Amino acid sequence: MKKIITFAGSNSKTSINKQLAVYASSLVEDVDVEVLDLNDFDLPLYGIDLESEKGIPDDAHRFLNLIKSSDGIVLSLAEHNGAYSTVFKNLFDWMSRIEGKTFFGKPMLLMATSPGPRGGASVLGIAQDRFPRHEANIVEVFSLPSFGDNFSDGKIVNSELDEELKEKVGTFKSTL
């Protein structure tokens, strides 16, 4: 059976992006889903001096190995001031020191949501530009605007947006 990993680019215990990622991955039928939480990966703030003195933390290797051993990735990025959250950028920086092609060509459903009407559009733009240089195979992109209005009880309540996500999940599933 195929295995996908799903996670949010956030360390919030109540992350709206984690809620979206978990919902989206629940729509991928006939796969094993492993939900990752960035809080479970203890990584100091990346710096070249720290890397030179102490090496690369085991948790960076562990996360990268989870990507490597998966058949696909469902990722929903939090947007902080128009860019990646610090916790995600730090993880990304550490992993890229181990393997520049951090995503290993794995099919990716890339998403974002936010409380506002742009639904993380800025961070999605950054990721769509950057991730392919790290061998991301971005199969589909989905943005959920106005999370509080469009998501409730663990699912998207706006039928039009829910149908759009389900179509994109279907495309993602077909690439696994």
Side-chain angles (χ1 to χ4, degrees), residues 95-137:
M95 289 190 309
S96 72
R97 298 297 292 169
I98 302 166
E99 171 63 56
K101 305 298 183 190
T102 35
F103 297 111
F104 304 99
K106 306 292 180 173
M108 178 185 289
L109 172 58
L110 178 63
M111 302 181 298
T113 188
S114 71
R118 289 181 32 89
S122 294
V123 74
L124 283 174
I126 292 168
Q128 286 176 277
D129 177 60
R130 184 83 229 154
F131 286 6
R133 295 182 221 170
H134 295 267
E135 213 172 79
N137 176 12

Side-chain angles (χ1 to χ4, degrees), residues 32-49:
D32 284 331
V33 177
E34 184 172 2
V35 178
L36 306 177
D37 187 322
L38 297 190
N39 290 301
D40 296 333
F41 298 85
D42 187 25
L43 297 170
L45 192 58
Y46 178 78
I48 192 68
D49 294 336

Side-chain angles (χ1 to χ4, degrees), residues 21-29 33 154:
V22 167
Y23 173 63
S25 64
S26 77
L27 300 172
V28 185
E29 297 175 342
V33 177

Side-chain angles (χ1 to χ4, degrees), residues 13-78:
K13 290 181 185 346
T14 59
S15 168
I16 61 178
N17 280 281
K18 185 173 183 182
Q19 293 174 59
L20 177 60
V22 167
Y23 173 63
S25 64
S26 77
L27 300 172
V28 185
E29 297 175 342
D30 303 319
V31 297
D32 284 331
V33 177
E34 184 172 2
V35 178
L36 306 177
D37 187 322
L38 297 190
N39 290 301
D40 296 333
F41 298 85
D42 187 25
L43 297 170
L45 192 58
Y46 178 78
I48 192 68
D49 294 336
L50 180 62
E51 181 186 348
S52 295
E53 292 167 17
K54 297 194 175 183
I56 297 172
D58 289 342
D59 277 349
H61 287 279
R62 186 165 64 99
F63 201 96
L64 194 65
N65 285 331
L66 288 165
I67 291 174
K68 192 183 291 186
S69 67
S70 75
D71 295 299
I73 303 164
V74 175
L75 168 58
S76 189
L77 292 169

Side-chain angles (χ1 to χ4, degrees), residues 79-84 122 126:
E79 182 176 284
H80 292 188
N81 297 312
Y84 309 125
S122 294
I126 292 168

